[in-house]
Each structure stands twice: as C-alpha cells, then as structure tokens.
Amino acid sequence: MTDGMTTGMSNEAGKAKGGGEITVVHLMRHGEVHNPEGVLYGRKPGYHLSELGLRMADRVAEHLAGRDITHVVASPLERAQETAHPIAKAHGLDLATDERLIEAENVFEGKTFGVGDGALKKPANWKYLTNPFRPSWGEPYVEQVVRMMGALGAARDAARGHEAVCVSHQLPIWIVRSFAERRRLWHDPRKRQCTLASLTTFTFRGDKIVSVGYSEPARDLVPAHLLAGAKPVKGGAKAFGA
C-alpha cells in the first residue's frame, strides 16, 4: 500500500489486467467549518462550512471533474453534505447519505478542548482520559472500523468498475486507513495525515483493497496550522471536532 502527498489517484477503475474488476473509492474529509468559538462540535447539528470551506469543496469538485465517478455519498452532518454537493452536481448525480460515515462520538462534544483553557482543565473530565487505546473518551476505534468498512463496501458496490466519493470526518477516515494499512489504531492526533478537503483513496480489485493513497487537492487553501503534522497554536481548538 502507498502513502504520501502525491499518491492515491494513479489507479483507474474498470477491468484490471489478470482479471478482477477495479473500483476506486475516494474517502474525503469535509472542508473548513465556521466555528469561531472553537467548539468541539462532533455530531452536533448546525455547523456549516465557512466561506473558505465552500471554496475547498468547489476546488475538489473541479479536481475530480474528469474522473469516472458514478456514486457520491456523505455523512448526514451539514458540513459533509455541503462538501459533497458540488461533486455530485458536477457529475449529474443525486447525493446519497450514509449514517456510517458520521463523525466519531465524543464525550467532550459541545465544549472547548484544550489543556489549560478548556474541558481538560476540569478534574471531573479526567476520568474520560484513562484509556487512550480504546479510547475512553468516545466511540471505540474498533467500532469506527466496522462502520467505516461497511460504508466503504457499500460505496464500492454502488460504483462497481467505476469510482465513488464518500465525504466523512477526520478521525473515522484516519482510523479506517490505519486498519487497511495494518497500523495500530491508537495514535497521536497531531500526526494524522488527513487535512481538510483531502482524499484518502482506496482501490479495490473485486472486494479486496489493493492500495491506499492520499492527496490534497485544496492544500493551498488550508491554513498552515491545520495541515498534517503542524505544531498546535493558541486557539487551535478550532481544528477539533472535524
């Protein structure tokens, strides 16, 4: 399997040499959200793309305009639906919704989240931080794998021999990629390679994943402190809950 900024779009859907139908599923993270309070919004309704986020969505739609996309599906949350809309429109497709693509559940939802200036400052919340391997503060990683693999499989089946786009959220995308690439599921959130409006691309031969790639079509629009591996900055809570 592959990794890196420029990988992920080299495999074309259709018939592969040596047999086996090739299907490509692009798992996309939504664009930037309007969240001036820096709330970890999680699954809370009412959080929409910012103007910059809308530009990111349009950029990726342009990037994918020449692809053989026959199915577009999104998480039910507004920010994912708004990101997926221009892609579906560009290909003349109805936008589908899959609940399995939703953001991971988190007990800190609706709160600001940061050491010394948010939920972590309160001793009452420390009980949720006892087990980073599960994790103890939210939806178990294994459960995220199960639902995300189900969503990927459904998209693959809907676009057999072609390409599909699924719009989801950072943590579920990173967890299912880690599973597919046989890495441990617990991790440092600062090191996730899943920036805003990025594409994590799964290529299937038949029902089997044969490669995983990654690309950032809207990288130039992403604020530097939100890029993968960037050092946190004061007020960086705005990056959470995506």
Side-chain angles (χ1 to χ4, degrees):
M1 296 188 182
T2 60
D3 189 17
M5 196 68 63
T6 60
T7 64
M9 300 275 284
S10 59
N11 293 287
E12 298 290 342
K15 292 292 184 180
K17 293 181 179 179
E21 193 170 46
I22 296 295
T23 306
V24 175
V25 179
H26 306 283
L27 193 50
M28 180 183 177
R29 184 183 171 192
H30 62 78
E32 185 191 62
V33 174
H34 180 67
N35 181 24
E37 296 82 15
V39 171
L40 193 154
Y41 36 79
R43 295 180 176 181
K44 292 178 70 67
Y47 285 88
H48 298 267
L49 293 183
S50 65
E51 290 186 10
L52 179 60
L54 292 170
R55 288 173 58 198
M56 292 176 181
D58 287 339
R59 171 69 64 80
V60 178
E62 293 171 3
H63 179 75
L64 295 173
R67 307 294 297 191
D68 183 24
I69 293 169
T70 61
H71 181 65
V72 181
V73 60
S75 155
L77 296 174
E78 292 99 331
R79 57 193 186 270
Q81 294 277 315
E82 292 164 0
T83 299
H85 177 73
I87 300 172
K89 183 179 179 180
H91 292 272
L93 300 170
D94 292 330
L95 175 59
T97 299
D98 191 330
E99 295 280 346
R100 293 171 293 189
L101 293 170
I102 200 167
E103 174 65 289
E105 188 176 21
N106 193 306
V107 298
F108 296 109
E109 184 179 288
K111 303 174 182 177
T112 56
F113 190 78
V115 177
D117 63 352
L120 292 184
K121 188 177 181 180
K122 301 176 181 178
N125 290 327
W126 295 351
K127 62 185 177 182
Y128 298 118
L129 305 174
T130 57
N131 185 357
F133 306 106
R134 185 180 185 267
S136 53
W137 55 83
E139 182 184 9
Y141 293 138
V142 172
E143 292 183 11
Q144 293 180 54
V145 168
V146 171
R147 65 176 172 85
M148 290 296 288
M149 287 298 294
L152 280 175
R156 174 203 64 212
D157 291 344
R160 288 277 184 185
H162 304 279
E163 302 185 30
V165 177
C166 305
V167 181
S168 186
H169 308 268
Q170 186 190 58
L171 178 55
I173 294 172
W174 181 249
I175 289 300
V176 75
R177 177 181 172 182
S178 296
F179 173 78
E181 294 183 325
R182 300 179 182 178
R183 289 194 304 272
R184 67 190 187 200
L185 301 183
W186 59 273
H187 61 282
D188 182 344
R190 297 168 298 181
K191 296 182 179 179
R192 294 173 190 158
Q193 190 185 44
C194 187
T195 198
L196 292 166
S198 61
L199 298 172
T200 300
T201 299
F202 296 78
T203 300
F204 291 83
R205 178 176 287 110
D207 292 344
K208 182 180 179 181
I209 296 173
V210 294
S211 71
V212 181
Y214 178 77
S215 59
E216 296 177 355
R219 181 179 175 83
D220 62 304
L221 299 178
V222 179
H225 71 281
L226 296 181
L227 291 169
K231 294 181 179 180
V233 296
K234 187 176 182 180
K238 296 178 183 179
F240 286 91

